[in-house]
Amino acid sequence: VGVPEPAFSSSEAGAADEERSDIAEGTPAPVLKWVVLDAAPPADAGAGPPPEPVPAKPVPETDLADLPLPSPPAPREAALAPEVLAALEAGPEAWSDLYQSARTLEDEGRLEEAISAYKAAVAADPGHAATFYDLGYAQQKAGRPNAAIAAYRSALERNPKHAHAHYNLGYLLQRQGSLGAAIASYRQAAVLDQDNPYVFYNWGEILDERGDIEGAIDLYKRASELAPDGPPGRDAKARLDRLQEKGAG
């Protein structure tokens, strides 16, 4: 999966009703007796006119607007694509087919199906860092940062030298305000991939906000040198010029 930009944008079954009638065939049905509620019993049964029926109580009108709306159904994961189901039937050896199916689904824009396929691949063989990384990237694109962070960390447990996983993890942590953890991830990413301008730009952004002007200048310089004509390089150059003017003033 490609490198993201700027974040390496890479049934409760119902129980059967077993109630059976115990009335034997030919047995007379029981007599149902009507009871009039709130009516006084006659003083002398069979004497005088029958009691007046009790009028029914009016049913209060209900404003439909006052009724609570039903809760929306909980979101469900996308059903597994046919090709993923076919691969699952092949057993644990199907990891490669599942993984390739997931990538194809993602490339086709079928993101939720791709996420389900990546999860199936992880279930088939959880030892591959690439599967967790691509799952994290798909979750990131789907707007689920916490799920993406968990997947990136799982990728790094299997391959601590996965530079893009370090960077994407840092990017998401930075957006969540975990700046110290973000710096730690950017530092690892910079060691493993010294040519990624986004690492240095975003890291510099944190130091800039913290007031570490010298550190921010060094990082902005590196980002602008790596991508002088690209978005991170141009933005880094603008920030660099502002800091230098501020220092000179």
Side-chain angles (χ1 to χ4, degrees), residues 89-112:
E89 292 176 358
E93 299 80 10
W95 169 83
S96 179
D97 291 340
L98 287 166
Y99 179 63
Q100 293 303 324
S101 294
R103 299 192 65 175
T104 299
L105 289 166
E106 186 174 0
D107 291 342
E108 293 174 352
R110 299 157 66 181
L111 193 54
E112 294 303 326

Side-chain angles (χ1 to χ4, degrees), residues 128-248:
H128 297 271
T131 316
F132 282 100
Y133 173 78
D134 288 341
L135 171 60
Y137 180 46
Q139 295 280 30
Q140 184 173 343
K141 290 195 295 183
R144 303 185 185 104
N146 291 333
I149 286 172
Y152 289 143
R153 283 175 169 159
S154 293
L156 290 169
E157 288 173 1
R158 290 154 178 81
N159 180 10
K161 295 184 178 181
H162 200 305
H164 290 175
H166 281 294
Y167 171 77
N168 281 10
L169 177 59
Y171 174 85
L172 292 176
L173 291 171
Q174 181 180 2
R175 268 55 194 169
Q176 290 188 346
S178 300
L179 302 184
I183 289 177
S185 292
Y186 287 146
R187 182 177 288 112
Q188 291 295 324
V191 170
L192 296 167
D193 184 3
Q194 300 180 15
D195 296 326
N196 179 1
Y198 290 104
V199 172
F200 299 99
Y201 175 78
N202 289 348
W203 186 358
E205 193 176 44
I206 296 176
L207 298 188
D208 192 353
E209 293 174 356
R210 286 184 164 187
D212 185 351
I213 305 304
E214 291 185 4
I217 287 176
D218 289 340
L219 293 168
Y220 287 150
K221 281 182 178 180
R222 180 63 175 160
S224 62
E225 292 169 355
L226 289 170
D229 301 321
R234 292 194 301 267
D235 292 345
K237 183 66 166 59
R239 285 177 174 262
L240 180 59
D241 292 343
R242 174 181 58 80
L243 289 178
Q244 289 176 332
E245 291 173 4
K246 183 179 180 180

